[in-house]
Amino acid sequence: MSKVIMIQGTMSNAGKSLLTAGLCRIMKQDGYRVAPFKSQNMALNSFITEEGLEMGRAQVMQAEAAGIRPMVCMNPILLKPTSHTGSQVIVNGEVVGNMGARDYFKYKTRLIPEIKKAFRELEKIADIIVIEGAGSPAEINLRENDIVNMGMAEIADAPVLLVGDIDRGGVFAQLLGTLMLLGEDEKSRVKGLIINKFRGDKTILDPGIEMLEERGGVPVVGVIPYMELALEDEDSLTERFRETRIGKIDMAVIRYPRISNFTDFNVFEQLSEVSVRYVTSASELGHPDIIFLPGSKNTIRDLKWMRQNGLEAAVKKLSDEVPVFGICGGYQMLGKEISDPEGVEEGGKIRGMELLDVMTELKREKTRCQTEGKINKVEGIFSELSGMDYSGYEIHMGCTTKEGETPLVLIGGDKGNVYGSYVHGIFDRGHIASAIIKALADKKGLTIDKGVFEDYKNFKERQYDHLADTLRAYLNMEDIYGMLNDAHLK
């Protein structure tokens, strides 16, 4: 039987995902077979496994840190918001349907057997399972049917590390308040407290830590410094959306209300001379060197949003001189028309942006697959991409065609400035990202100091090692291993 430890937080974005990844990497380095687990994840960034099943990207990132392939049993329940009050419910990688928040609250306890089954599958391959919670265990209105925080800790009989975010202020109140709102049985599971994202001299914190331990009755096992890491974070609260810096090469990503899989553009963050900005208005858009239209959980509604706020007109105007690149839902928007005869999203049909000569029909059956091969011949500014090796995955509701035939991997417009593809992760190969940056730099007559991207997989491996090194330096790993309470691990 695997040994387990669980990371819970005082709030969303306290750092649970990265700390889980860091512990996975440390334990891998120490010679253990380790795996991540999150019973329920709410996210718009998802991934397709080798088996064609859908799971949250946070657990994919953690699996990479652990050095194992992503498996859907690491994230048996995935909720993909479709509105402010409803989500698409995915269980064991398959779509169950759309549910409102109240309906799902009543339904979710029926999924406990699926959670237990997935956890047992993971136990077959792991010495240690690092479990991630969601939000906060002190959300007392949700405690009754909890399956992701203390409810999951009880299912797995896991000791809990509680993480607070000092960068957002009030970390002592966060930690003490959370402990006070837990039941006695729940509080007894909390074996250590972690203060995350600290900037400054730790000795200033020491009097507060002493009082925190005295009042909370739980030891502080680490004060983690604020880390600059280029790894995936919680998609709903990512700090990437706050980027306003304009680099020598300025990339603008349209941030629609239902943006999804914007991890496609993380690869470009490797170079300090390149900026990746997420924009929500025509005034924010400015005059970038390239515009990306990312995936969307509701393509028709997000296209209407662009149309209403002026972004569509701004993008179309700039497309005469600035490359526009759509991925998945963004690719669908660039075509002539999107029709929805089965009512998958809005029903009916809508005129597209008319920048690509393609038509899309939404279908109830979701396309889910990994894919690799060579990019077909393309024209225009990115013609050097022709014939390059690519790999990635497709995840979309709908079929896009050109004159009755399904288009190739990458399709370009007649003007040579507009491109579209269904392949998520198509830029992750270093040579593809490098070719795009080089083409944009050549157009501006610029030389980029580091014009060659390393493969994004190799880049992330170095990031995971850096994360692990930092956590080793600031966490009491001896105490954490002790919490696992397994003689064969000592």
Side-chain angles (χ1 to χ4, degrees), residues 339-345 347-348 361-365:
S339 62
D340 186 13
E342 300 180 54
V344 175
E345 291 185 357
E361 181 177 309
L362 300 181
K363 298 180 180 296
R364 290 196 176 278
E365 185 175 351

Side-chain angles (χ1 to χ4, degrees), residues 212-245:
L212 174 62
E213 292 180 328
E214 178 183 328
R215 295 192 179 187
V218 181
V220 174
V221 296
V223 177
I224 310 300
Y226 192 97
M227 289 180 279
E228 296 287 349
L229 291 167
L231 291 170
E232 295 169 23
D233 44 17
E234 295 188 62
D235 57 23
S236 62
L237 296 168
T238 179
E239 293 185 7
R240 287 181 167 91
F241 288 166
R242 303 176 189 173
E243 178 65 73
T244 58
R245 179 183 65 90

Side-chain angles (χ1 to χ4, degrees), residues 127-144:
D127 301 319
I128 304 172
I129 299 174
V130 185
I131 307 171
E132 180 187 350
S136 163
E139 292 167 350
I140 53 180
N141 57 312
L142 302 177
R143 177 182 292 166
E144 180 183 357

Side-chain angles (χ1 to χ4, degrees), residues 172 195 205-218 220:
F172 298 118
I195 295 175
L205 275 186
D206 288 342
I209 290 174
E210 183 177 342
M211 188 177 297
L212 174 62
E213 292 180 328
E214 178 183 328
R215 295 192 179 187
V218 181
V220 174

Side-chain angles (χ1 to χ4, degrees), residues 33 68 97 108 110 112 120 134 153 162 197 225 230 247 302 325 330 336 363 381 394 402 409 433:
R33 298 178 305 165
I68 59 177
K108 64 181 181 178
R110 294 166 55 183
I112 290 176
R120 286 195 297 269
L162 181 64
K197 305 181 188 178
D302 279 343
F325 205 129
K336 291 182 174 180
K363 298 180 180 296
I381 186 173
E394 293 186 31
K402 180 177 182 180
V409 173

Side-chain angles (χ1 to χ4, degrees), residues 127-361:
D127 301 319
I128 304 172
I129 299 174
V130 185
I131 307 171
E132 180 187 350
S136 163
E139 292 167 350
I140 53 180
N141 57 312
L142 302 177
R143 177 182 292 166
E144 180 183 357
N145 295 327
D146 175 51
I147 59 173
V148 69
N149 285 308
M150 285 301 176
M152 184 63 224
E154 183 177 351
I155 290 172
D157 195 19
V160 172
L161 295 172
L162 181 64
V163 183
D165 179 1
I166 196 170
D167 194 52
R168 294 162 79 178
V171 73
F172 298 118
Q174 291 175 37
L175 292 165
L176 276 176
T178 299
L179 290 173
M180 289 172 63
L181 287 171
L182 296 178
E184 287 302 316
D185 289 345
E186 295 171 330
K187 184 178 177 181
S188 67
R189 290 195 177 278
V190 181
K191 303 301 182 183
L193 306 177
I194 297 174
I195 295 175
N196 195 26
K197 305 181 188 178
F198 178 68
R199 309 173 195 247
D201 183 348
K202 178 186 172 294
T203 59
I204 298 173
L205 275 186
D206 288 342
I209 290 174
E210 183 177 342
M211 188 177 297
L212 174 62
E213 292 180 328
E214 178 183 328
R215 295 192 179 187
V218 181
V220 174
V221 296
V223 177
I224 310 300
Y226 192 97
M227 289 180 279
E228 296 287 349
L229 291 167
L231 291 170
E232 295 169 23
D233 44 17
E234 295 188 62
D235 57 23
S236 62
L237 296 168
T238 179
E239 293 185 7
R240 287 181 167 91
F241 288 166
R242 303 176 189 173
E243 178 65 73
T244 58
R245 179 183 65 90
I246 296 179
K248 286 185 178 180
I249 300 296
D250 180 33
M251 297 181 155
V253 182
I254 304 301
R255 182 189 168 189
Y256 352 98
R258 284 151 288 273
I259 185 174
S260 66
N261 283 76
F262 55 83
T263 50
D264 287 332
F265 315 108
N266 291 1
V267 60
F268 295 109
E269 297 174 0
Q270 291 184 44
L271 299 187
S272 60
E273 294 177 306
V274 175
S275 58
V276 181
R277 297 183 295 118
Y278 291 83
V279 302
T280 59
S281 67
S283 60
E284 289 178 352
L285 181 61
H287 198 290
D289 298 304
I290 187 171
I291 300 169
F292 289 115
L293 273 65
S296 166
K297 193 63 192 70
N298 192 313
T299 304
I300 292 177
R301 193 174 298 178
D302 279 343
L303 177 56
K304 289 179 178 178
W305 173 84
M306 287 184 64
R307 191 158 286 166
Q308 291 164 357
N309 75 359
L311 265 171
E312 179 194 34
V315 171
K316 291 183 73 169
K317 182 178 180 180
L318 285 171
S319 69
D320 288 333
E321 51 183 308
V322 172
V324 178
F325 205 129
I327 301 289
C328 199
Y331 168 35
Q332 294 174 341
M333 293 181 192
L334 290 172
K336 291 182 174 180
E337 180 183 275
I338 303 170
S339 62
D340 186 13
E342 300 180 54
V344 175
E345 291 185 357
E346 306 279 302
K349 59 179 63 176
I350 185 173
R351 173 179 55 83
M353 295 175 68
E354 300 178 315
L355 292 174
L356 288 177
D357 186 21
V358 295
M359 308 277 283
T360 296
E361 181 177 309

